[in-house]
Amino acid sequence: MEAFDIPALHALCIELSIPGPAAEACLAQAASAQAAPLLRHIPALLDASRAEAAMRELQAKCAPLSPNGLLELAVLLSAALEARKHYAARGVPDDVYLATMGCFSRFLNETHRWTGRWQFDRGFWVWRQLCGRLLRLGTLEFEALPLPAELAGPLGAAAGAPALSVHIPGDAMCMPETLHASYARRADFFARDGALPLTYCRTWLLSPRVKELLPPGSGIRNFMEDYTLADWDPDDNSGRLWLFGAPGIPDAALPERTSLQRGAKELLLQGKPLGSGLGLLKL
């Protein structure tokens, strides 16, 4: 690809519900003279063995040209146009492609909600979607990868064994039926010789401290019930951002819009991080 296909990019922005101000700025960046040479990174972004390194190289080149990340976004959406062909060649339906690439609008909206600015800051993550290593199947995402060595012992499996890491998008609906529909769909894409890889999740949503704050039947409790806790990290506080969406705000000023936020804020004010859990899927 030697130049951005602006009409195709515009059409994809509409399909993916990219917010208007971000889409306009992204397309303007794509039309600039400095943008076209960056397209040479696209083949590597679509190759699972090279995508992560290609993403780092692209970010390094885009950062001084576009601090808000929207030039980077233009390249990544161009890669998503090419990825659509790769998905189809693998037999991945277009609805799964669109759901997976929906991460772009979700990330833009999340960051705007947190900061009040239209910027793209998740390039470190979306190479997974572009190369097809991660798919959204219903309400959940599944990332195919060799089991990391540090998780092998707690999960009782060999390091490097085929595994699926479960991710919970910010707009996930955690009713039992929607969760189980996602797990059931795994077999369509990840079963090998009739067997599914070990499926696990490492997240603040599996923290025992968080569980104590939740009533039975809540969405997060529904999610927890499908996992056997294999290990947990009481010092991990990564869930703070996802629960409160308030980077840089002192704990005492955190919002209290829900009972979970109120309980979590009380923990933080006591000097206790939310923690995170490592769970093995029971189903």
Side-chain angles (χ1 to χ4, degrees), residues 194-273:
L196 279 164
L198 174 149
T199 302
Y200 72 91
C201 185
R202 182 164 53 172
T203 174
W204 69 277
L205 298 175
L206 292 176
S207 169
R209 280 192 189 133
V210 172
K211 187 174 185 178
E212 292 174 1
L213 304 175
L214 296 166
S218 70
I220 297 175
R221 283 289 286 265
N222 291 336
F223 180 80
M224 288 179 166
E225 293 302 323
D226 289 332
Y227 290 83
T228 299
L229 188 67
D231 196 8
W232 82 293
D233 180 355
D235 298 319
D236 183 5
N237 209 26
S238 58
R240 182 187 187 277
L241 175 63
W242 304 110
L243 177 56
F244 294 101
I249 295 180
D251 290 342
L254 290 172
E256 300 181 37
R257 290 185 289 268
T258 66
S259 60
L260 178 55
Q261 285 185 338
R262 291 190 289 274
K265 180 176 177 178
E266 185 176 342
L267 276 179
L268 294 170
L269 291 173
Q270 294 170 7
K272 297 179 182 178

Side-chain angles (χ1 to χ4, degrees), residues 19 21 107-119:
F107 292 158
L108 285 162
N109 283 315
E110 283 176 352
T111 300
H112 185 264
R113 191 164 61 248
W114 297 341
T115 68
R117 296 186 296 272
W118 291 114
Q119 58 188 46

